[in-house]
Amino acid sequence: MAEREALVKALMRPGVLPDSTQGVELIETHISWVLLAGSRAWKLKKPLDLGFLDFSTVERRRAACEAELRLNRRTVPELYEAVVPVWFDAQAPRLGVADDEDSTNADDHLVCMRRFDQSALFDARLAAGQLDPPLFDRLARHVADFHDTAAMAQPGGGFGDAAAVMAPVRQNFAQIREHVSDAALLAELEGIEAWAEARFRTLAPVFDARLAAGKVRECHGDLHLGNLIVLNGEPRLFDAIEFSAALRWTDVVADVAFLVMDLQVRGRTDLASRFLNAWLERSGDYAGLQLLPWYLSYRAMVRAKIAAIRAGQLEGGARSDCLAECARYLALATAQTATPAPALLIACGGSGSGKTRQSQPLV
């Protein structure tokens, strides 16, 4: 890790990266370093093995870079430009390949992307009150069309069958218990787990049938507000999961459920419902609704687990904040266990009288 941190510092020297004479800005995540220079962003993956991802060797990082480029070019080819080899010596790092060099022997690899303004992110726009509801209609069509053309999983391939669906659900419960000792949270966790096990026994044949029907695809896998942007006025997906095939080869409803859950927990059930309705209209996958509570609960439990893990690493007020976040996601998961009361509202009137305008907020 120390060697790669030295590489990052070297890459940040003005003039090393193209268009970097005015300086380089660094954004660090738990799995990568992103260097912003001029009109480009350069991502270097950290040499980590976290179990759910393995970037521990140069070969694995190169393969992950190539997967990232391939996966994200499905939705934003104009953002994801190339995988660039880098050589690191005592003087300075060097980008690109000379005529007599083999890029597979490089010291590491960078994903080169076109830089965009952070205000274009959906979560930033939501915080600024700039996410208009009609934008979610266009997003839903974009997501449905993306799902329709994504590669399809085959039965027996290890993705999307009942066993593959249930394994991470059970793992969430076990991992949360490792980090939470609060009696109230553990009691709520027990109730969610009992519901999940009971529903699994009912839904197991449905999961297998969905796989056989071609509803398990190579999806985005991480479809939340932080991975959506407005590009040239249109909503687009980026930053699909490249490090885990199991997390992106999933039912299309599971992919959609992540964004629906993310909006619900932020108190925007109106936008969640509008997106979901528009996606259903475009995809026609109304049969998938029977799985939506299951996948909403699963997505909420993933976030609850992450919050619980963070709480175990912190103390004082920061720990309390993480436990409160865990409780918020557990409450959302619990809400999926209740059967909602159905309702029917009918709008009538002549053409152009405002039926859609009045009914859309109600929907």
Side-chain angles (χ1 to χ4, degrees), residues 248-276:
R248 67 175 181 267
W249 283 92
T250 187
D251 195 301
V252 293
V253 172
D255 216 26
V256 167
F258 204 154
L259 180 55
V260 173
M261 184 278 298
D262 198 22
L263 286 164
Q264 287 180 344
V265 81
R266 296 169 189 251
R268 295 308 303 265
T269 56
D270 57 330
L271 297 178
S273 296
R274 180 146 185 168
F275 167 74
L276 177 61

Side-chain angles (χ1 to χ4, degrees), residues 87-331:
W87 279 263
F88 185 40
D89 56 40
Q91 301 301 319
R94 176 171 55 86
L95 303 182
V97 183
D99 292 339
D100 59 345
E101 287 178 316
D102 181 358
S103 66
T104 59
N105 295 324
D107 293 322
D108 223 315
H109 293 78
L110 301 165
V111 178
C112 176
M113 298 171 287
R114 177 182 143 199
R115 186 175 177 179
F116 58 83
D117 195 312
Q118 295 296 297
S119 65
L121 292 169
F122 265 52
D123 54 2
R125 289 201 166 208
L126 181 66
Q130 297 175 344
L131 273 184
D132 295 327
L135 190 66
F136 284 87
D137 298 337
R138 303 203 300 277
L139 173 63
R141 292 191 289 269
H142 174 48
V143 173
D145 293 346
F146 160 64
H147 286 158
D148 189 52
T149 58
M152 186 185 305
Q154 300 299 320
F159 301 125
D161 58 25
V165 170
M166 191 58 184
V169 172
R170 287 175 173 151
Q171 185 183 62
N172 284 338
F173 292 116
Q175 291 177 329
I176 289 175
R177 286 193 173 95
E178 292 175 1
H179 298 279
V180 171
S181 58
D182 182 85
L185 293 183
L186 290 174
E188 186 165 21
L189 187 69
E190 185 176 346
I192 300 168
E193 184 176 29
W195 173 84
E197 292 288 350
R199 288 299 294 157
F200 175 70
R201 290 191 289 272
T202 301
L203 293 174
V206 178
F207 295 132
D208 291 334
R210 295 277 295 178
L211 173 60
K215 298 301 182 181
V216 176
R217 302 281 180 128
E218 190 176 30
C219 294
H220 183 278
D222 202 19
L223 188 55
H224 57 75
L225 291 168
N227 287 338
L228 294 168
I229 61 170
V230 179
L231 188 64
N232 299 323
E234 291 301 320
R236 308 287 286 278
L237 289 69
F238 79 105
D239 206 16
I241 285 183
E242 87 283 5
F243 55 79
S244 172
L247 292 179
R248 67 175 181 267
W249 283 92
T250 187
D251 195 301
V252 293
V253 172
D255 216 26
V256 167
F258 204 154
L259 180 55
V260 173
M261 184 278 298
D262 198 22
L263 286 164
Q264 287 180 344
V265 81
R266 296 169 189 251
R268 295 308 303 265
T269 56
D270 57 330
L271 297 178
S273 296
R274 180 146 185 168
F275 167 74
L276 177 61
N277 287 332
W279 181 83
L280 288 167
E281 290 176 1
R282 185 73 163 193
S283 67
D285 192 9
Y286 294 96
L289 282 175
Q290 63 184 316
L291 297 178
L292 184 62
W294 169 274
Y295 283 122
L296 288 174
S297 175
Y298 166 66
R299 293 299 192 184
M301 291 300 296
V302 170
R303 289 302 180 95
K305 175 182 69 176
I306 292 171
I309 292 173
R310 285 204 301 263
Q313 299 168 341
L314 300 170
E315 297 179 355
R319 172 180 168 80
S320 298
D321 290 343
C322 287
L323 287 175
E325 182 179 352
C326 177
R328 186 162 61 250
Y329 282 112
L330 286 177

Side-chain angles (χ1 to χ4, degrees), residues 330-341:
L330 286 177
L332 183 58
T334 298
Q336 309 311 314
T337 68
T339 303

Side-chain angles (χ1 to χ4, degrees), residues 11 39 65 82 96 179 290 338:
L11 287 169
S39 62
C65 287
H179 298 279
Q290 63 184 316

